[in-house]
Amino acid sequence: MKRIVLINISGEDKPGLTSTITQILAGYDVNILDIGQAVIHDTLSLGFLIELTDEEQSAPVLKDILFKAHELDVQIRFSPIDDEDYQHWVGGQGKPRHIVTLLARKVSALHIAKVTEVVARYQLNIDKIDRLSGRIALDDANEKDKACIQLSLRGTLGDSTLVRKEFLELGAQLDIDIAYQEDNIYRRNRRLVCFDMDSTLIEAEVIDELAYAAGVGEQVAEITERAMQGELDFGESFAARLALLKGLDESVLAGIADSLKLTEGAERLVSTMRALGYKTAILSGGFSYFGHFLQKKLGIDYVYANELEIADGKVTGNVSGIVVDGNRKAELLQELAERENLSLQQVIAVGDGANDLPMLSIAGLGVAFRAKQIVKESAKHSISTLGLDGVLYLLGLSDRELNNLS
């Protein structure tokens, strides 16, 4: 008669432990139905679910493992699994999988407690918990620290929009970011990332900088803010702001470009994407002059933005060509996906304003970055507490993997 036994081993991690135990199991021709191992601060937790072919076999193999565990100075526990429990476990393998990612400068017990409370309320089982962020020395703590915990979940979820909304509200209360995703084949198979430029790749709205140089800063900034909040139509607000720039000397553009500050994590994110074989694009409602400046600085593949019209060395207050508004960004994203022979599920879009929502909504991974509340509420994912390279955690990439990237 077959027997199923769960073996749990815990203690100080040491090389060869798994090999030693499995060699004993192999000597009795044991089948391994499941295996899992985790190490936290050099403390091992190792589990085997094994199938013993008959009753006579079970006593000697378990005795040998018990003796070996004593020699290795680790704790061991044997738990028999009945047929009903085993069949229930097998039946769970077809259930949908989910990923919840918690991002913060520092993770507390309260954060984990509140996130897992929501997980439990939706009847989802936690299969695995991983720390994706690197180890932090206690005496090196600073405001740029990053902490990320990833939960792999299993279970049926009726309406994902409800859990996303609840995580967004909880994140706001705790000053952390909580992202929910379906765990599917596309998650680590994205191949194109499209960025908004102003207040996303750079910590500025270039049109505001131009306006201050032209002496109309406060007027333009007010219009910009209302447009970002979604209170004004982008096309109308853009035309109004442009008109106020008329007569600005062309020489001002170079000085502003040189002074642009990259957003925290922007350089790391773009360089990592390039190293992993991603194509990168800027899709901006700003100006191509600055987009091409960033293209050279970061190695961006594509740039689509508005062409600021210059005549006799002066800004005319107009742009030439098609205005890149929200709908145009979405169209460009689709065109780039087709050009690269990608599905939209393989595209990442990152932006902060209301005019980014069309492209965020059609991308496989749309991320509202340090965005206005209306954008956070409409986008599927948002990052506000970390830098732009927090997007890497949403792809399931750990700091350990990234540090080893050549």
Side-chain angles (χ1 to χ4, degrees), residues 43-145:
T43 300
L44 171 76
S45 178
L46 172 63
F48 299 95
L49 188 64
I50 64 171
E51 179 189 26
L52 300 169
T53 55
D54 57 60
E55 191 72 27
E56 293 181 359
Q57 179 197 35
S58 63
V61 66
L62 298 182
K63 183 178 71 172
D64 285 356
I65 292 175
L66 185 61
F67 284 151
K68 183 56 68 174
H70 179 72
E71 289 180 14
L72 295 170
D73 193 26
V74 294
Q75 291 73 52
I76 192 162
R77 186 175 74 249
F78 302 113
S79 304
I81 307 297
D82 61 36
D83 288 346
E84 184 178 346
D85 285 344
Y86 180 73
Q87 292 304 326
H88 177 74
W89 174 74
V90 171
Q93 66 184 331
K95 288 186 178 180
R97 304 283 173 159
H98 319 270
I99 297 291
V100 170
T101 311
L102 189 162
L103 306 100
R105 293 298 179 182
K106 182 176 289 188
V107 173
S108 72
L110 178 63
H111 297 155
I112 302 293
K114 290 296 185 180
V115 169
T116 53
E117 180 182 316
V118 175
V119 168
R121 193 180 319 122
Y122 282 89
Q123 298 293 301
L124 300 174
N125 293 102
I126 301 174
D127 283 338
K128 190 177 181 184
I129 301 177
D130 294 300
R131 172 178 51 82
L132 299 185
S133 50
R135 301 173 183 178
I136 299 174
L138 293 179
D139 56 353
D140 288 340
N142 62 69
E143 62 180 13
K144 298 301 182 183
D145 282 345

Side-chain angles (χ1 to χ4, degrees), residues 90-219:
V90 171
Q93 66 184 331
K95 288 186 178 180
R97 304 283 173 159
H98 319 270
I99 297 291
V100 170
T101 311
L102 189 162
L103 306 100
R105 293 298 179 182
K106 182 176 289 188
V107 173
S108 72
L110 178 63
H111 297 155
I112 302 293
K114 290 296 185 180
V115 169
T116 53
E117 180 182 316
V118 175
V119 168
R121 193 180 319 122
Y122 282 89
Q123 298 293 301
L124 300 174
N125 293 102
I126 301 174
D127 283 338
K128 190 177 181 184
I129 301 177
D130 294 300
R131 172 178 51 82
L132 299 185
S133 50
R135 301 173 183 178
I136 299 174
L138 293 179
D139 56 353
D140 288 340
N142 62 69
E143 62 180 13
K144 298 301 182 183
D145 282 345
K146 295 176 291 185
C148 177
I149 303 296
Q150 175 181 281
L151 285 71
S152 301
L153 312 175
R154 171 174 40 88
T156 302
L157 192 61
D159 187 352
S160 62
T161 59
L162 295 178
V163 73
R164 279 196 176 97
K165 181 181 179 183
E166 190 159 348
F167 278 140
L168 179 64
E169 293 172 351
L170 179 60
Q173 293 171 17
L174 300 175
D175 194 25
I176 60 176
D177 295 314
I178 311 166
Y180 161 82
Q181 301 178 68
E182 292 180 14
D183 190 7
N184 58 37
I185 195 172
Y186 294 109
R187 182 164 175 261
R188 289 182 64 141
N189 192 33
R190 319 286 186 188
R191 284 294 173 265
L192 168 66
V193 55
C194 298
F195 298 101
D196 172 47
M197 181 172 66
D198 297 43
S199 297
T200 300
L201 276 178
I202 56 175
E203 294 185 349
E205 291 289 328
V206 169
I207 197 167
D208 291 351
E209 300 301 315
L210 292 171
Y212 282 113
V216 291
E218 292 185 5
Q219 296 163 264

Side-chain angles (χ1 to χ4, degrees), residues 20 42 98 111 212 274 331 334 357 369 388:
T20 300
D42 294 329
H98 319 270
H111 297 155
Y212 282 113
R274 293 178 61 199
E331 292 172 1
Q334 290 177 300
L357 283 173
F369 177 71
L388 204 56

Side-chain angles (χ1 to χ4, degrees), residues 173-345:
Q173 293 171 17
L174 300 175
D175 194 25
I176 60 176
D177 295 314
I178 311 166
Y180 161 82
Q181 301 178 68
E182 292 180 14
D183 190 7
N184 58 37
I185 195 172
Y186 294 109
R187 182 164 175 261
R188 289 182 64 141
N189 192 33
R190 319 286 186 188
R191 284 294 173 265
L192 168 66
V193 55
C194 298
F195 298 101
D196 172 47
M197 181 172 66
D198 297 43
S199 297
T200 300
L201 276 178
I202 56 175
E203 294 185 349
E205 291 289 328
V206 169
I207 197 167
D208 291 351
E209 300 301 315
L210 292 171
Y212 282 113
V216 291
E218 292 185 5
Q219 296 163 264
V220 168
E222 181 182 352
I223 299 172
T224 299
E225 179 63 20
R226 293 180 64 193
M228 296 296 289
Q229 294 282 5
E231 297 175 6
L232 294 176
D233 171 77
F234 177 83
E236 293 177 350
S237 67
F238 187 56
R241 288 177 288 174
L242 270 176
L244 291 170
L245 300 180
K246 185 176 181 180
L248 180 66
D249 196 277
E250 180 184 14
S251 62
V252 172
L253 276 61
I256 291 176
D258 286 333
S259 67
L260 291 177
K261 183 179 179 181
L262 291 174
T263 301
E264 177 194 352
E267 197 162 6
R268 180 173 186 248
L269 175 58
V270 174
S271 64
T272 301
M273 296 286 91
R274 293 178 61 199
L276 292 174
Y278 281 65
K279 293 293 184 179
T280 56
I282 290 174
L283 307 182
S284 174
F287 303 114
S288 58
Y289 180 93
F290 303 96
H292 289 302
F293 177 85
L294 291 175
Q295 181 179 33
K296 293 178 181 177
K297 188 169 187 175
L298 297 174
I300 301 288
D301 294 295
Y302 302 104
V303 173
Y304 293 92
N306 296 302
E307 192 67 39
L308 192 60
E309 190 176 81
I310 306 288
D312 299 325
K314 302 288 185 181
V315 173
T316 67
N318 297 303
V319 292
S320 56
I322 300 173
V323 172
V324 180
D325 58 9
N327 291 331
R328 181 58 181 156
K329 287 187 180 186
E331 292 172 1
L332 289 166
L333 184 147
Q334 290 177 300
E335 290 175 11
L336 287 174
E338 291 175 6
R339 181 183 302 180
E340 297 294 335
N341 295 314
L342 302 173
S343 75
L344 290 177
Q345 283 292 329

